[in-house]
Amino acid sequence: MTVLKPLLRFLAWFILSAVSAVGIAACGIYIYLAPELPDPDELRRIELQTPLRVYSADGKLISEFGEKRRNPLSYAEIPPSFINALLASEDDGFFEHIGIDFKGLARAAIELIRTGEKRSGGSTITMQVAKNYYLSSEKTFTRKFTEIMLALEIEQYLSKQEILELYINKIYLGKRAYGIEAAAQVYYGKSIHELNLAQIAMIAGLPQAPSAANPINNPRRAIDRRNYVLARMLTLNMISQEEFDQAARAPVTARYHGPTSEIIAPYVAEMVRREMVAQYGDAAYTAGFRVYTTVDSTSQTAANRALQSGLLKYDRDHGWRTPKPMATLQTLAVTDTPELAEWLKKADARYDIDWPATLEEWNSRLLARDDMGLIAPAIVTRVMPEGAWVLQQNGERWLPFSAMLWAKPYINVNVIGAEPASPADVLQPGMEIWIEETSAGPLLAQLPEAEGSLVSLRPADGAIQALVGGFSPTSNQFNRAIQADRQPGSAFKPFIYSAALAHGFTPASIINDAPVVFEDAGLEATWRPENNSGKFYGPTRLREALYRSQNLVSIRILNQVGPHRAIRYIEPFGFPRHKLNADLSLSLGASAVTSMELATGYAVLANGGFAVTPYLIDRIEDDNGQLLYQARPAVACRNCPEPVTDPKTGEPDANAAIHAPRVMDERVHYLMISMLKDVVTRGTGQRALVLNRDDLAGKTGTTNDQKDAWFAGFSPDLVATVWVGFDQPVTLGRWAFGSNTALPIWVDYMGTALADKPPRPYEQPDGIVSVRIDPVTGLLAAPGQPDAIFEYFREEDVPKELARPARQPDNEGQPAAPEMIPEQLF
């Protein structure tokens, strides 16, 4: 007893001293670290890094950009089942402790003493919030003490709900997913609210090892972790035994889901991305901007389909190019013995194929191929007399011989070979091909070599409704809609004719369609332009010349107006002056412009004569939905009142509409519209009649040697330009013209884009009159003349002279023309 008392006294003093030492040490550490501790109240104002998201005008996701995929949720939006799973997995005492778990820390300390290694940190969710938002991941005692003190302070400033909200939105869960909503989208393609118990437990188990133990990288380890979470939930009476049994037996259903685009508009998305980075720098990728474009989702989908369908048809019409890449056939490993050597020489090669290994490799190849819209990749597995079996991402399917009858061998752009006699003439096992899905079933396809673009604008203000810069950006990211300068050919003639009408010509003006010769020391050879038909029509009314697309008439009217004067007139339509040739080649569309620039010019024709500027971004919002930018485009308005001004400052009202400037006289505009409508009803644009509308106008364009094919056209509600050609200008073939190559794509697109827009007439302005004229001379028709036609004129331009009796037509039904002697123009 005597010995025991001093010993107990010693132990008591020892424990007291140890506690005091720990307390003093803790105070010292706090005094040392406290000045550098961040303010926990900043967590309420912290901005999470969220990606840039791009939407259509009707709110459909086009794309997102940024390294971190995140969809923040409020605490009220977190499913209770997930909260239970997370707490069971990470911190079941979260709602009771003060920010630190003393038992967990003690357990971590004992492990460190026993093993000499830091295996667990005893971290609570609050401590993890402190680390994730303020600290690094280095495993040091200083960082750990800082984490503990921060956790204690965070608990003083924030509620448990606020802490949990910060945690579930910040935590990294693998595959670029930050936060539980992003993880649900990445692994299951659903919202966290749509997941079942097994899937929720899978995500709740990810924080421990998100890269190494996620269900895509390591399904077996992920199942073990998921079932641990479920077992903890069962132990804590969060779920029943039946729920546990069902969830623990559930198979892994996770697979990678990239950003889910609701409409395909990659060229639009890239244009927005560049603009946002130019304006906001790297913050564009992390600040959570939401950009709403002017693009209409229905129109964009129609544009994608129309351009791809048109290019695929052009490609089929020019023959089958045997694919170069061949998928490897894996052969069986056979022991090389003398007994088998002779048999192997005679054996059919197909018996040597290791099909399980081959199909596994081919599946991997198919999964690695990019989406190409209307066509999907496939690999030929077997070729039969009636067709072929092909492997696609969703399994094997039958491709009948009828689906490959078009595959006549490509010889050159103008020549194709004979129709195949059997599938073996086209396909062989291992060949990598493409399949197009059509209403009649699968169709053999190939990636087109010809390219194209489609641009569609709302003419009233220049809002881009649809834009496609090529067959697919996965094959080539070059945006032909805004980056490719190509000669528009005859599609440019409406601007030459507009300049002529503005400078004294009328639709009835007679121009001689006869040969011309250009002698110029700057040219290597004499230039002798011709009409596409190779014919000369003699004296021709301006209206006829436009819908027949007669080149020689265009040259003559530009020669009379003057190239420089014409350029001064045309430039305000939206064409950069430096791109316009100041010579007579301008009349034939030899000045290279982009599809967007041509569409901008045609918008002036469609909207009544007002210059509008194309724009793509309608508004920008921050991550909280606050408006940062709202577009205020200039609007074409014929009878709009003048903008309201502030009586004090005299400045225009900041919210008033901005009026687009008029660059085309309204009467000239009306005459031009009536002529361009004739292109559709009587000329090279007649394929558009299938749309059964009376408000369509436009112009075909085909350049020398058929290197470019165009159609540019419009209604009062919509403008669209279509271009088809090769990136390196070579001929599309002797049968390729704007009327049969570009126009069908335009018709396909406009049929959908205008489906809900009834035809609208063009309003006839004051000062326009319709009179009867002689169709041969353009003069006033004689009284009772049987072949007289009506023509529109400005009042002051009505012909004063009566026509003489008409000449007798020649053998081709055209008025007799004088002998065609080439005229020299300089």
Side-chain angles (χ1 to χ4, degrees):
M1 190 69 179
T2 307
V3 177
L4 187 59
K5 285 184 178 180
L7 181 60
L8 292 174
R9 191 179 301 113
F10 172 78
L11 288 174
W13 277 107
F14 178 79
I15 293 172
L16 181 62
S17 300
V19 170
S20 300
V22 169
I24 293 170
C27 291
I29 292 171
Y30 177 80
I31 293 170
Y32 175 72
L33 295 176
E36 298 181 6
L37 291 177
D39 182 1
D41 197 45
E42 291 178 2
L43 288 171
R44 287 198 173 98
R45 302 185 297 273
I46 203 158
E47 294 185 3
L48 296 170
Q49 292 188 18
T50 53
L52 166 67
R53 292 187 175 94
V54 182
Y55 297 90
S56 65
D58 46 344
K60 294 186 177 180
L61 180 65
I62 294 174
S63 188
E64 69 175 38
F65 298 95
E67 284 300 313
K68 298 181 179 181
R69 292 185 62 183
R70 180 182 277 117
N71 301 77
L73 299 176
S74 66
Y75 179 81
E77 295 173 312
I78 308 172
S81 57
F82 181 83
I83 293 176
N84 287 338
L86 180 67
L87 298 185
S89 170
E90 296 292 316
D91 187 359
D92 58 62
F94 172 72
F95 282 102
E96 287 76 38
H97 62 57
I98 61 172
I100 56 176
D101 178 7
F102 292 104
K103 290 182 179 179
L105 289 175
R107 184 169 57 251
I110 292 170
E111 285 182 1
L112 175 61
I113 295 170
R114 184 169 55 85
T115 65
E117 297 179 358
K118 296 186 287 292
R119 294 185 176 180
S120 65
S123 292
T124 62
I125 285 177
T126 312
M127 292 168 67
Q128 291 183 58
V129 167
K131 180 182 72 174
N132 290 337
Y133 281 89
Y134 289 122
L135 306 173
S136 68
S137 297
E138 61 176 344
K139 294 185 176 182
T140 65
F141 289 110
T142 301
R143 198 227 71 198
K144 195 65 177 180
F145 280 120
T146 305
E147 181 182 310
I148 291 170
M149 287 187 290
L150 266 176
L152 292 170
E153 289 207 27
I154 288 171
E155 290 275 349
Q156 299 298 313
Y157 281 90
L158 303 180
S159 68
K160 291 287 187 179
Q161 290 76 13
E162 288 175 313
I163 295 170
L164 200 58
E165 182 180 309
L166 287 168
Y167 179 79
I168 64 101
N169 287 320
K170 177 75 173 181
I171 192 70
Y172 177 61
L173 298 170
K175 299 296 180 184
R176 291 179 51 224
Y178 289 79
I180 63 170
E181 178 65 12
Q185 295 289 349
V186 166
Y187 293 112
Y188 300 106
K190 301 177 182 179
S191 169
I192 191 73
H193 301 89
E194 301 174 273
L195 303 188
N196 59 39
L197 178 60
Q199 294 166 335
I200 281 176
M202 182 73 78
I203 291 179
L206 287 174
Q208 187 184 75
S211 297
N214 70 67
I216 295 175
N217 291 356
N218 194 332
R220 182 67 263 166
R221 185 173 171 185
I223 287 177
D224 291 342
R225 181 63 182 167
R226 177 198 70 184
N227 290 349
Y228 165 77
V229 174
L230 291 169
R232 289 283 300 145
M233 294 179 76
L234 178 64
T235 301
L236 296 170
N237 295 318
M238 294 175 173
I239 58 175
S240 67
Q241 183 67 50
E242 182 180 354
E243 289 174 315
F244 170 82
D245 292 340
Q246 183 177 354
R249 287 195 300 265
V252 174
T253 57
R255 62 181 180 85
Y256 181 72
H257 295 76
T260 305
S261 297
E262 295 176 276
I263 60 170
I264 307 301
Y267 294 100
V268 169
E270 176 60 15
M271 290 168 67
V272 171
R273 185 197 68 80
R274 291 190 179 192
E275 179 63 27
M276 292 297 290
V277 170
Q279 186 170 348
Y280 295 101
D282 289 342
Y285 298 117
T286 60
F289 293 118
R290 296 199 286 260
V291 180
Y292 291 85
T293 67
T294 58
V295 167
D296 175 75
S297 62
T298 300
S299 296
Q300 181 64 43
T301 301
N304 294 338
R305 185 194 64 245
L307 186 64
Q308 286 205 335
S309 294
L311 293 177
L312 287 167
K313 182 185 182 303
Y314 169 85
D315 203 63
R316 285 195 300 272
D317 291 344
H318 288 79
W320 172 249
R321 304 180 306 276
T322 303
K324 297 292 191 299
M326 293 286 289
T328 305
L329 289 163
Q330 299 292 329
T331 56
L332 289 167
V334 180
T335 306
D336 188 9
T337 64
E339 293 80 12
L340 289 174
E342 197 63 32
W343 180 85
L344 287 172
K345 290 179 182 178
K346 299 176 183 179
D348 191 322
R350 66 186 177 187
Y351 295 120
D352 233 2
I353 298 172
D354 183 350
W355 278 112
T358 296
L359 293 177
E360 183 177 354
E361 180 186 331
W362 287 5
N363 268 313
S364 298
R365 290 173 73 97
L366 291 171
L367 290 170
R369 299 294 289 270
D370 293 313
D371 181 24
M372 288 287 183
L374 292 185
I375 60 175
I379 300 176
V380 180
T381 58
R382 288 169 289 166
V383 179
M384 316 290 284
E386 303 82 17
W389 287 99
V390 299
L391 181 69
Q392 291 193 276
Q393 292 181 3
N394 55 353
E396 213 173 9
R397 69 183 303 184
W398 177 251
L399 186 68
F401 183 40
S402 59
M404 55 188 91
L405 282 174
W406 67 267
K408 303 169 185 177
Y410 171 88
I411 297 174
N412 61 52
V413 74
N414 293 315
V415 181
I416 56 177
E419 185 175 282
S422 72
D425 292 340
V426 182
L427 303 177
Q428 64 184 87
M431 187 176 283
E432 296 190 48
I433 60 172
W434 297 89
I435 300 294
E436 179 184 0
E437 296 296 336
T438 71
S439 58
L443 184 66
L444 177 67
Q446 58 191 354
L447 195 61
E449 290 185 342
E451 275 292 355
S453 66
L454 189 155
V455 176
S456 182
L457 306 178
R458 187 168 61 207
D461 61 358
I464 296 173
Q465 301 294 279
L467 185 146
V468 189
F471 185 84
S472 173
T474 56
S475 58
N476 189 327
Q477 295 187 359
F478 183 59
N479 188 342
R480 296 155 192 85
I482 60 173
Q483 294 176 303
D485 284 323
R486 304 297 290 241
Q487 294 182 359
S490 295
F492 194 77
K493 287 178 181 175
F495 306 107
I496 302 298
Y497 279 68
S498 296
L501 292 174
H503 290 91
F505 285 76
T506 75
S509 295
I510 301 296
I511 307 295
N512 191 21
D513 185 66
V516 295
V517 176
F518 292 90
E519 300 284 357
D520 190 330
L523 298 174
E524 294 182 3
T526 300
W527 182 34
R528 297 175 181 269
E530 297 180 349
N531 293 321
N532 286 334
S533 65
K535 299 177 181 179
F536 302 102
Y537 296 93
T540 307
R541 284 179 292 117
L542 211 65
R543 179 182 292 275
E544 287 182 295
L546 182 60
Y547 72 69
R548 287 180 181 158
S549 200
Q550 293 170 222
N551 292 337
L552 302 174
V553 172
S554 298
I555 292 171
R556 280 187 162 84
I557 64 175
L558 181 59
N559 188 54
Q560 293 184 48
V561 171
H564 291 284
R565 186 159 58 159
I567 287 173
R568 285 195 297 273
Y569 179 82
I570 294 169
E571 181 187 3
F573 283 55
F575 296 103
R577 188 182 186 90
H578 70 275
K579 290 188 176 184
L580 302 179
N581 300 342
D583 55 43
L584 295 183
S585 69
L586 180 70
S587 65
L588 303 183
S591 300
V593 297
T594 67
S595 299
M596 180 67 77
E597 289 162 350
L598 191 64
T600 304
Y602 270 80
V604 177
L605 299 173
N607 68 24
F610 300 89
V612 293
T613 301
Y615 71 102
L616 181 58
I617 296 178
D618 177 66
R619 70 183 187 276
I620 302 172
E621 296 178 356
D622 66 15
D623 200 27
N624 297 314
Q626 296 297 311
L627 186 66
L628 302 177
Y629 166 81
Q630 176 66 61
R632 294 188 64 228
V635 178
C637 189
R638 182 182 176 194
N639 298 311
C640 290
E642 289 300 315
V644 177
T645 58
D646 187 315
K648 295 181 180 179
T649 64
E651 295 294 326
D653 182 355
N655 296 316
I658 303 171
H659 293 176
R662 177 175 284 283
V663 295
M664 188 181 195
D665 177 79
E666 63 178 344
R667 294 186 300 167
V668 170
H669 171 264
Y670 189 79
L671 297 177
M672 201 65 230
I673 290 295
S674 71
M675 294 168 67
L676 286 172
K677 288 177 69 176
D678 272 3
V679 174
V680 172
T681 58
R682 307 175 63 187
T684 57
Q686 290 185 67
R687 287 176 187 262
L689 292 174
V690 71
L691 295 178
N692 196 29
R693 299 177 66 102
D694 60 5
D695 62 345
L696 299 178
K699 187 69 185 72
T700 54
T702 309
T703 60
N704 285 344
D705 298 324
Q706 288 79 38
K707 292 178 180 177
D708 301 275
W710 294 84
F711 189 81
F714 55 89
S715 76
D717 295 305
L718 199 63
V719 172
T721 60
V722 174
W723 166 80
V724 176
F726 290 98
D727 283 338
Q728 298 301 319
V730 294
T731 182
L732 288 162
R734 65 169 66 104
W735 301 290
F737 300 95
S739 59
N740 62 12
T741 304
L743 177 54
I745 297 172
W746 186 91
V747 169
D748 189 0
Y749 165 70
M750 293 292 268
T752 300
L754 291 176
D756 62 345
K757 297 178 175 64
R760 287 202 294 135
Y762 295 90
E763 187 175 349
Q764 182 174 329
D766 296 335
I768 290 288
V769 295
S770 176
V771 299
R772 295 172 70 250
I773 65 166
D774 172 35
V776 176
T777 64
L779 301 177
L780 287 176
Q785 181 174 334
D787 63 344
I789 61 174
F790 282 96
E791 183 56 273
Y792 291 109
F793 295 90
R794 288 180 290 189
E795 286 179 331
E796 64 272 24
D797 294 334
V798 174
K800 305 296 188 294
E801 185 180 350
L802 285 177
R804 298 178 180 179
R807 294 170 290 169
Q808 294 298 316
D810 62 18
N811 292 335
E812 294 188 358
Q814 298 297 329
E819 181 182 358
M820 297 299 179
I821 301 174
E823 173 188 356
Q824 289 195 341
L825 296 179
F826 300 94

